[in-house]
Amino acid sequence: MSKNRRKNLPLITPEEVRKHNKESDGWFIYDGGVYNVTPHLLNEVKDSPGRTSTYLAILRILGTDCTEEMKEIDHTDRAMAQMEQFKIGLVCCSCDSHPLC
């Protein structure tokens, strides 16, 4: 994703992300980005043999900021690049004094 595209992403509060905590509507925050992984959960991971642990791990982080957990896991460059397709916004606090809000 180009830097120009990233600048056009909407700002989304953590409060909004917390509402999307189900398999049928799942978002999470990672490193300042907001990701909607619903299509990934419903179409790719759930029914893939051998992916049960990935599926369960993603379910546990829905609606949260999982930056620290994700950084503790050695993800492949391919996995991290693939995640970018699910980026829907940038996290922003709900206060008016934050420079990104």
Side-chain angles (χ1 to χ4, degrees), residues 46-93:
K46 185 176 183 180
D47 297 324
S48 299
R51 305 284 303 271
T52 303
S53 62
T54 299
Y55 175 75
L56 293 174
I58 293 172
L59 286 181
R60 281 194 301 271
I61 63 171
L62 295 178
T64 70
D65 183 338
C66 65
T67 302
E68 293 305 315
E69 289 176 341
M70 292 276 288
K71 288 186 176 183
E72 290 177 6
I73 300 169
D74 189 24
H75 288 91
T76 65
D77 291 340
R78 180 176 176 250
M80 296 308 289
Q82 186 180 30
M83 195 168 84
E84 284 298 306
Q85 69 183 306
F86 301 108
K87 192 171 198 174
I88 60 166
L90 301 173
V91 71
C92 176
C93 71

Side-chain angles (χ1 to χ4, degrees), residues 9-71:
L9 289 171
L11 297 175
I12 302 170
T13 65
E15 291 82 8
E16 181 64 26
V17 173
R18 280 194 285 277
K19 296 176 189 176
H20 303 272
N21 60 5
K22 301 179 284 302
E23 175 191 42
S24 61
D25 180 23
W27 298 7
F28 62 76
I29 297 168
Y30 171 72
D31 202 24
V34 177
Y35 298 84
N36 177 356
V37 293
T38 306
H40 186 59
L41 285 170
L42 297 178
N43 300 323
E44 297 178 34
V45 176
K46 185 176 183 180
D47 297 324
S48 299
R51 305 284 303 271
T52 303
S53 62
T54 299
Y55 175 75
L56 293 174
I58 293 172
L59 286 181
R60 281 194 301 271
I61 63 171
L62 295 178
T64 70
D65 183 338
C66 65
T67 302
E68 293 305 315
E69 289 176 341
M70 292 276 288
K71 288 186 176 183

